[in-house]
Structures are given as structure tokens and as C-alpha cells.
Amino acid sequence: METPNTDRQSTAAETTDESPHAETTDESPHAETTDARWVRLRALVRIWVVVYEFLPLVVTYLRDRRRFLLVGGRRQVTVDQQTARAERLLDSLVSLGPTFIKLGQVLSTRPDALPGAYIDVLSRLQDQVPPDDWQEVSTVVEADLGPVGDVFEDFDTDPISGASLGQVYTARIDGEKVAVKVLRPNIRPRVEADLRVIQILLPLLLASAPEGQAYTLSNLAREFTETIREEMDYAHEAAMLREIRGNFAGDDVVVIPRVYDSHSSSRVLTMQYVDGIKIDDVAALDAAGIDRTALIRRLESAYIQMIIEDGVFHADPHPGNLAVRPDGSVVFYDFGMTGQVSEALQNHILDFYIGIAQDDIDAVIDAFVAMDALDPSADRELMREVFDIAIESFRGKDLDDYRIQRLVGEFQANIYEFPLRLPQNVALIVRVTTVLDGVAQTLDPEFDVIALITEYVREEGYGEEGARRVVESVSNQIQASAQSLVRVPPKLDRALSRTERQNLNAAIVLAGGRDEPYETLARQLVYGLLFGTGVVTTLLLLATTGDSVSVVAGVGTAVVGLLFVRSFRRRGGLGVTPQFTRQGLRQRRRE
């Protein structure tokens, strides 16, 4: 939902009693169950409308892969061509109505699903649906709460805000001004019919998409279905609003409106009206004497708390959903889109923050892999450069245009094969980060969000925690290595004995010349035996004598150990063919 473009913004509030009308509606939270046949009939009609709208784009996409559909090579597509197609897609989504407008908004946050040119165009997509007539909207309010005149002291029938799924009005309860968010009449069966169309057409889309992109689109369709159904359930929004408000209880720089449960249901949400200056209205903020740098720090810190500490966050921080009070406190509107973060994901995000704070790009990449947001087989050098540029941009540094263009071209050429795999909540966090960066650039172009993250990591002592984890990991590896060195010589001796008795069979692929593999194997065996024996001997000398002899033995063992390690780094030697590579699994699946 988009809030009004004036200072008359509003939103929600604190709990009172349980609503006596919460269950009076004849709709379930997820569908208009009273007219399932109408949903099926609408889906049959809509499928032809949707196919008609998208067919030209689909044919164009297929021709990109096969110039003449059935034969011919790939066509090269320029950025300008992609932009033109994205504009056509934007028009189609708007003409198809609320469900597809929401779908376009979700797609605009998913660089793993669409090329960058599409993301840039779809990011302009806003709710462009004219408001419903009050006579139709009033039937929803009266069905759930009772006669409007009896429930509210006063009710302004002109909406102050409208979106594809609902509209917001102002009213009064016991003399207090409130905001009333009402779900559009009959929107649930319309959305359910469109979701059924998407489910019918999805297999056709997946069949023509590359394997990596098909995986992403399949997950995206499922997540979109869950998200839009939650947005149509105002009882769920009220619960999220109450939880997040409770997490900021006592915090006077973050304002979360309270909910009036007695005047709310699954289709009507009544909240405290809180006005403020729109957060991107720089002139009004300056006139009010608001410190813009302190304001963006306050906003970013609130999101760090929501994501890292609380585990639930407001996921739609565009300027229409954020306002500023005269005292500089930040007001959050519209909790229809929220995200939840598990403890495991919080730890991974914290590792990501620690990697940023310590300027450790490899740790940042490892955190993304751990979050299932990056395929482990992705080109690490490419991803290292991608993250390096991203972090520099968040630091507010000037970037080399040629470097960015080269990297973007290389990245987009590879993005559909494997790299990004954004689970729903990770995608929401990426969306939040991107939108907040836009807000920060508006308020203070010099703001360094990386410095804020670094400060947070250090203040909370997470930097030491990260170092402690590294020390523990290295210690465990050393301990495991020492145990292996004690066990390896006896095991190796048994293996050699079995070889001597001709009882040892090994299937290997020779990767060098005719004699080179055997020479390399012999060298590695000798070095391994000498190194293992040297470690045991050094430890015994240290335990029994402790004199210079043990030092000499230790130095000699270290030298042999270096030679042992180096023998594995040389080119050639023995090679094996992995049986469970991604390509191998694909081949087996095709066979």
C-alpha cells in the first residue's frame, strides 16, 4: 500500500480488546470461498487475456534463443532492446490489474530472475489502480464491523491513500483521529483467479527457461502466492504491526502506530493516525530543522535491530511508507509486507556484517553461500569483484565507469547459470537494503552505511566474536591434523603391506605422462612417511629431553612438511573424475 503524497500520512496502533467482529466476515483469510465456481470461470477467461498480453514477449524471448524459433543461433540483445521490452512488460502488467502489478513489484526486487534493464524499469512500477466507489467499499466495512455511523464518530469517505489491494480513509473514535485501511471489494476472488492462471502457465514458462533460472522462477511463484495472500489478510498485518511495535517499546525515535482491535478484522484495519513529513521531502525536513544525517542513521539502525536482533522486519521502506515527526523520530507505515528472519539466518547475516566490517570479501561471499543466496559453484573471482564494487558503492565512493560496465556485462552473462539464489526473506532483505540506500542518497549523498555497520559490529563486540570463531576453527583444524598425523603412518604402513601382498585395488585416472604419476605418488608417500614420523619423533623429544635436539628435529620436520604440501600443488600427478558434479547430475537426469 502506498501512503498519501501529502503530509497527511497515517498508520497503525496499539492493541485494545479482541475484535467482536473479527469473524463476522464471510471470507476466509486466503480466498473468497463463497464463489469458487466464479473463480474458476474468471480464471478460464483471464488465461486468454494473459496469454494475449504476454505472447509477443514470449515469442521474442524464444527467438533470442533460436533466431527462427526452430533453427538458427542465438540473437545478441542490447541493453536498449531489453529496456524497450521491459517498458512493454510494464504496460502489460499495469493493464492486467492488481495481481500483476504486485507481481511486477516483486520482480523488480529480484536480480536473479530478470536482467538489470528490466529491474530498472519495473522499479518504477507503483500501484496504478483508481479508487473504488465508497458505496462499494462501505459494504466491506459494514459486513465486518457494522453500520459505519454506529462504529465511528465520523468517517471521511474520500480516501487519503490507495493501492492495488486496499484503500485508506480517516475517521474518529472517541475523539481520536484514526486511519482505516479497507480491502477492495471482491479483490480476493480476482487475485485467486489470477494466481490460478499463473499456476497453469508456469510449467510452460519453466520448460523454456534455462535450468538455473527455472529453479528461481519456480520458487518466486510460490513465494509470490504466499506473500500476496498475506497482504490481503489484515489480521496478519495487525499481528506483525503489534509485534514490531512491541520490539520498539520505550524507543522514542521510532514510531509504530497502534492497532484498534475492536475496529479491525481480516478486511478492515483501524490504526492510530500519525502524521509527519514524507522522508524524501528534503525541503520540508530542512525547514523543520531535521538533521538529515542523524535521521538516516536512525532509520538504518532501526532496520539493523529488526533484522539482526528482533527477527521480524518491515519490508517495504519506500519513501511513501516512511515519515518524520517534528522531533526527528521516524514513523513507519504499511506493514502488509514484512519479513521474518530465523536465528540461523541472523547468524549468517551477522557473519556478513563482520566480513564487511573487517573488509574480508571472502567472508562476505561465504556468508552469502551459507544463506543459500549464492551457488557454491559460482565464479569466485567474478563474485569477489561484484561484492567489492557493491561495498565501495555503499561507502559512497566514486566508481570507475568502465570497470562497472565490464563487470555488469560479465555478471549478466553468467547470472542465469548459477550465481544468485535468493530465498524469499533474503530477497526481502536485499530489497530493503536497496531501497534504504536510495533514501540515504536522497537525505545525505555522503552517508557511509558500511561505516555504520562497522560501528555496530564493534560496539556489540561481534568483531571479537568473529575473531574467536576463526581461532576456534583453526585450533580444531590443527587438532584434527595432529590426530591424523599420528594415525596416518600405521594406516599407510598397512596399505603398503596390502599393496605388497597384491590385495590393494585402486581405480585411478592418470593425468600426467607415462611415468610421472608414479613418481609423484612415490614422492608424496615418502614425504608423508617422513613428515608423520618426524612429528611423532619431535613430540617425543620435547616430552623427554626438551633440549636443542628437539628444536633441530622440529625444523627438519617443518621442512619435510613444506615439501609434502608442495608435492600436492604441482601440476600433473593423479587425477580422479568426480561422480556427483552438478553437470554429472544434469546428464544423469537427462538420460
Side-chain angles (χ1 to χ4, degrees):
M1 181 199 76
E2 218 178 84
T3 50
N5 292 329
T6 67
D7 290 348
R8 298 176 61 203
Q9 301 190 12
S10 58
T11 252
E14 192 171 319
T15 62
T16 56
D17 341 290
E18 286 297 323
S19 169
H21 306 286
E23 301 300 330
T24 59
T25 177
D26 58 354
E27 296 183 272
S28 71
H30 297 319
E32 300 277 358
T33 57
T34 58
D35 207 352
R37 285 180 297 179
W38 186 89
V39 169
R40 289 195 295 270
L41 179 60
R42 178 180 171 83
L44 289 174
V45 175
R46 289 285 285 174
I47 193 169
W48 297 109
V49 176
V50 172
V51 169
Y52 175 79
E53 282 289 341
F54 288 133
L55 186 59
L57 287 171
V58 172
V59 172
T60 302
Y61 170 74
L62 293 175
R63 289 195 61 199
D64 291 341
R65 301 186 67 187
R66 286 284 182 271
R67 184 178 297 273
F68 303 105
L69 293 182
L70 297 178
V71 296
R74 289 178 176 270
R75 296 194 305 183
Q76 294 296 323
V77 182
T78 66
V79 174
D80 290 339
Q81 288 175 318
Q82 287 183 337
T83 301
R85 295 176 186 179
E87 295 286 355
R88 174 73 174 84
L89 175 61
L90 178 68
D91 293 339
S92 296
L93 293 171
V94 171
S95 67
L96 288 172
T99 307
F100 289 90
I101 289 175
K102 283 294 177 184
L103 179 60
Q105 291 172 342
V106 171
L107 287 172
S108 71
T109 68
R110 299 299 296 260
D112 56 330
L114 290 176
Y118 285 80
I119 300 298
D120 292 339
V121 172
L122 293 182
S123 63
R124 307 198 313 260
L125 188 62
Q126 299 296 330
D127 296 301
Q128 302 175 24
V129 181
D132 283 326
D133 183 80
W134 165 248
Q135 295 302 321
E136 297 179 8
V137 175
S138 64
T139 60
V140 176
V141 179
E142 293 182 350
D144 286 19
L145 305 181
V148 175
D150 296 343
V151 177
F152 299 94
E153 292 178 4
D154 181 48
F155 200 105
D156 187 348
T157 58
D158 293 326
I160 62 170
S161 174
S164 56
L165 300 180
Q167 298 174 179
V168 179
Y169 301 84
T170 57
R172 289 191 178 275
I173 300 174
D174 298 330
E176 183 177 356
K177 193 173 184 180
V178 296
V180 184
K181 185 177 177 181
V182 185
L183 196 67
R184 286 179 181 268
N186 300 316
I187 190 65
R188 284 178 179 162
R190 293 169 61 189
V191 170
E192 289 297 329
D194 286 341
L195 291 177
R196 186 165 296 187
V197 170
I198 292 173
Q199 291 171 359
I200 293 171
L201 297 179
L202 184 62
L204 299 177
L205 179 62
L206 299 183
S208 62
E211 186 171 353
Q213 193 180 12
Y215 170 85
T216 299
L217 293 175
S218 178
N219 285 346
L220 179 60
R222 184 182 66 255
E223 293 161 2
F224 172 70
T225 299
E226 296 172 356
T227 299
I228 196 170
R229 283 173 173 167
E230 282 186 353
E231 285 199 55
M232 292 188 297
D233 181 7
Y234 288 172
H236 176 269
E237 180 175 346
M240 293 295 98
L241 218 164
R242 286 193 295 267
E243 181 175 352
I244 295 175
R245 176 181 168 83
N247 292 335
F248 284 97
D251 190 334
D252 56 0
V253 298
V254 175
V255 179
I256 311 291
R258 66 183 183 275
V259 177
Y260 288 81
D261 283 339
S262 58
H263 292 69
S264 299
S265 70
S266 67
R267 296 189 298 174
V268 181
L269 178 59
T270 302
M271 306 161 283
Q272 174 190 13
Y273 183 92
V274 183
D275 61 357
I277 303 169
K278 195 175 178 182
I279 199 166
D280 63 348
D281 190 345
V282 175
L285 292 174
D286 290 342
I290 304 295
D291 185 336
R292 287 187 273 134
T293 302
L295 175 61
I296 191 60
R297 284 181 59 88
R298 202 169 296 133
L299 179 62
E300 296 276 6
S301 297
Y303 269 97
I304 289 176
Q305 175 185 325
M306 283 189 274
I307 293 172
I308 297 297
E309 299 175 13
D310 301 334
V312 59
F313 61 96
H314 176 276
D316 196 15
H318 69 76
N321 286 339
L322 298 170
V324 185
R325 301 281 290 166
D327 61 359
S329 56
V330 183
V331 185
F332 289 83
Y333 301 126
D334 193 350
F335 288 76
M337 187 182 295
T338 56
Q340 294 182 324
V341 188
S342 66
E343 184 177 352
L345 182 55
Q346 284 179 319
N347 290 332
H348 296 323
I349 296 172
L350 185 55
D351 289 337
F352 170 74
Y353 282 174
I354 292 172
I356 289 177
Q358 297 177 346
D359 201 20
D360 185 347
I361 301 297
D362 284 313
V364 171
I365 295 175
D366 290 341
F368 258 68
V369 171
M371 287 187 280
D372 291 329
L374 184 68
D375 193 285
S377 66
D379 184 336
R380 204 168 182 89
E381 287 300 322
L382 173 63
M383 300 311 300
R384 190 177 288 114
E385 192 168 359
V386 168
F387 280 105
D388 187 47
I389 283 184
I391 291 173
E392 284 186 19
S393 69
F394 278 113
R395 290 188 188 279
K397 293 183 178 180
D398 293 330
L399 303 176
D400 179 32
D401 291 338
Y402 172 76
R403 180 188 177 200
I404 293 177
Q405 290 174 3
R406 176 185 60 77
L407 181 62
V408 167
E410 187 177 358
F411 187 58
Q412 289 182 348
N414 291 276
I415 192 170
Y416 299 120
E417 284 302 317
F418 296 122
L420 293 178
R421 297 284 188 273
L422 297 181
Q424 181 181 15
N425 283 338
V426 176
L428 287 177
I429 293 171
V430 171
R431 168 189 168 86
V432 165
T433 303
T434 304
V435 175
L436 287 180
D437 183 57
V439 174
Q441 291 300 313
T442 301
L443 296 177
D444 181 6
E446 303 298 323
F447 183 77
D448 185 353
V449 67
I450 303 299
L452 178 64
I453 291 174
T454 302
E455 180 183 329
Y456 172 78
V457 167
R458 290 174 179 169
E459 285 182 355
E460 299 296 325
Y462 291 127
E464 291 78 1
E465 173 68 14
R468 185 184 64 78
R469 292 183 191 176
V470 172
V471 170
E472 286 184 355
S473 176
V474 172
S475 176
N476 291 336
Q477 291 178 10
I478 292 174
Q479 184 178 2
S481 299
Q483 292 173 351
S484 297
L485 288 173
V486 173
R487 293 194 298 263
V488 163
K491 290 182 177 180
L492 191 56
D493 181 64
R494 289 196 296 270
L496 291 173
S497 297
R498 291 183 62 188
T499 303
E500 187 177 15
R501 296 194 302 269
Q502 298 182 350
N503 289 333
L504 180 65
N505 296 319
I508 61 175
V509 177
L510 301 183
R514 185 169 183 178
D515 297 323
E516 181 185 354
Y518 302 103
E519 293 174 358
T520 302
L521 177 60
R523 188 183 304 112
Q524 291 170 348
L525 288 174
V526 171
Y527 285 152
L529 284 172
L530 290 175
F531 182 55
T533 304
V535 169
V536 175
T537 303
T538 302
L539 292 174
L540 289 174
L541 288 172
L542 283 172
T544 56
T545 63
D547 55 13
S548 58
V549 176
S550 62
V551 176
V552 174
V555 172
T557 300
V559 172
V560 174
L562 289 175
L563 293 173
F564 181 52
V565 172
R566 189 177 178 184
S567 69
F568 286 95
R569 297 171 63 88
R570 294 185 178 180
R571 302 178 65 87
L574 299 177
V576 298
T577 303
Q579 297 299 307
F580 295 100
T581 61
R582 186 183 302 273
Q583 290 78 10
L585 290 175
R586 285 182 179 175
Q587 183 63 31
R588 292 185 180 192
R589 193 179 300 119
R590 284 194 291 269
E591 292 173 354

